[in-house]
Amino acid sequence: MPAIPATSVANLRDLGGLPLGGGRSVRSGLVLRSAQLDRLDPVEPAVAGLGIRTVVDFRTEVERADRPDRLPSGARLLVADVLADYLAGSGLPPSARLKALLADPALAEEHLGGGRVRAAFARTYRTFVSGESARASYRALLDELGAPDAGPLLFHCSAGKDRTGWAATVVLSLLGADEETVRAEYLAVNPAVRLAFAPMIEGFTAQGGDPELALELIGVLPEYLDAALDEVAVRHGSMEKYVREGLGVPDEVTELIRERLTVPAV
């Protein structure tokens, strides 16, 4: 899934065109993902041409206050705080501390080394499935996608990789994408994320920091997604049951999502 070449929004991607089962693909132009929109230029052609009508913001209250979204012209905002009831005890650094940690390799190693980053992300991804605010947030996204009169929708978090990555996984799985497609789409954000954080990573490693630790923190790894998928399997048995029972999305809404967002593959 190639990125949309917008200069004012990082990690902007259309799920459209991705292959699904049964000779179908995702309809283009209706469901998009990105990083935060604090620098968005609503008149930039690559943005304005998308006609986005709804923005779903998965960020915390602190993140939203620190870097408020700038909305595309005519778009409405839906706040869906995935980590409202979790982040303080997750073991992950608040976004405000990320720069400080990447500026101090010794501090980063103290707080995040020894596999603690991977373990913290795994716990957080499991919470994407089981946490109360996470379930409410992902249900809100699916309800919006299933609305008969819905237009193009963009969902995002801060970097557009974790909370946003799980949202894309859920949507694509519901639409019938196979595991290879889901995983490839999930990992496709890494080049853009690494580019966005390149100055921090370079400064971190120049001071003797472990580059692997930096990439574990700012990128996505297959094992992060594995943790969420395992949580789905253990708690619900399948993605369908997770959506129906865990998120409380009725089957008729799921069918509307499939009708709206799929087309015969070209």
Side-chain angles (χ1 to χ4, degrees):
M1 180 185 59
I4 296 171
T7 59
S8 66
V9 185
N11 247 342
L12 179 59
R13 297 172 181 272
D14 185 348
L15 298 187
L18 288 172
L20 305 170
R24 300 184 70 77
S25 63
V26 181
R27 187 188 300 272
S28 295
L30 286 184
V31 55
L32 304 106
R33 57 176 291 181
S34 75
Q36 60 198 14
L37 306 182
D38 60 307
R39 297 189 302 110
L40 179 137
D41 179 358
V43 301
E44 181 182 0
V47 174
L50 298 172
I52 295 167
R53 290 175 55 184
T54 303
V55 171
V56 179
D57 186 347
F58 292 137
R59 296 178 301 165
T60 64
E61 182 178 2
V62 171
E63 290 171 306
R64 298 193 307 273
D66 185 48
R67 295 183 179 273
D69 273 351
R70 300 181 65 185
L71 296 180
S73 300
R76 58 183 275 265
L77 177 65
L78 175 64
V79 172
D81 184 344
V82 170
L83 296 176
D85 56 3
Y86 175 73
L87 189 60
S90 69
L92 292 172
S95 57
R97 289 193 63 208
L98 179 58
K99 290 184 179 181
L101 288 169
L102 287 177
D104 187 336
L107 188 65
E109 183 64 34
E110 177 186 348
H111 288 277
L112 303 173
R116 278 173 286 186
V117 169
R118 292 181 181 229
F121 270 110
R123 289 193 301 271
T124 301
Y125 270 69
R126 289 184 181 277
T127 297
F128 292 166
V129 176
S130 58
E132 183 176 347
S133 61
R135 288 186 288 112
S137 296
Y138 292 122
R139 171 172 180 155
L141 170 67
L142 295 180
D143 284 344
E144 289 291 321
L145 289 175
D149 59 346
L153 178 149
L154 180 145
F155 56 87
H156 77 90
C157 51
S158 287
K161 66 186 185 76
D162 299 305
R163 289 162 286 187
T164 296
W166 179 242
T169 293
V170 173
V171 171
L172 290 174
S173 298
L174 273 188
L175 297 181
D178 62 21
E179 183 176 345
E180 182 180 358
T181 299
V182 169
R183 287 184 177 276
E185 193 282 332
Y186 171 74
L187 294 171
V189 302
N190 271 330
V193 171
R194 289 172 182 174
L195 180 63
F197 284 91
M200 286 189 197
I201 297 172
E202 291 169 4
F204 183 75
T205 55
Q207 297 179 73
D210 181 356
E212 184 175 346
L213 175 59
L215 293 176
E216 289 173 358
L217 183 61
I218 62 93
V220 294
L221 301 179
E223 66 192 71
Y224 299 166
L225 183 59
D226 288 343
L229 293 173
D230 181 68
E231 192 75 3
V232 167
V234 168
R235 288 179 175 268
H236 303 287
S238 69
M239 189 67 76
E240 291 268 354
K241 288 186 176 179
Y242 158 65
V243 170
R244 182 187 307 118
E245 300 168 359
L247 303 185
V249 176
D251 290 344
E252 53 267 32
V253 173
T254 298
E255 287 307 311
L256 281 170
I257 292 171
R258 289 174 176 149
E259 290 174 14
R260 286 192 64 240
L261 298 185
T262 67
V263 293
V266 177

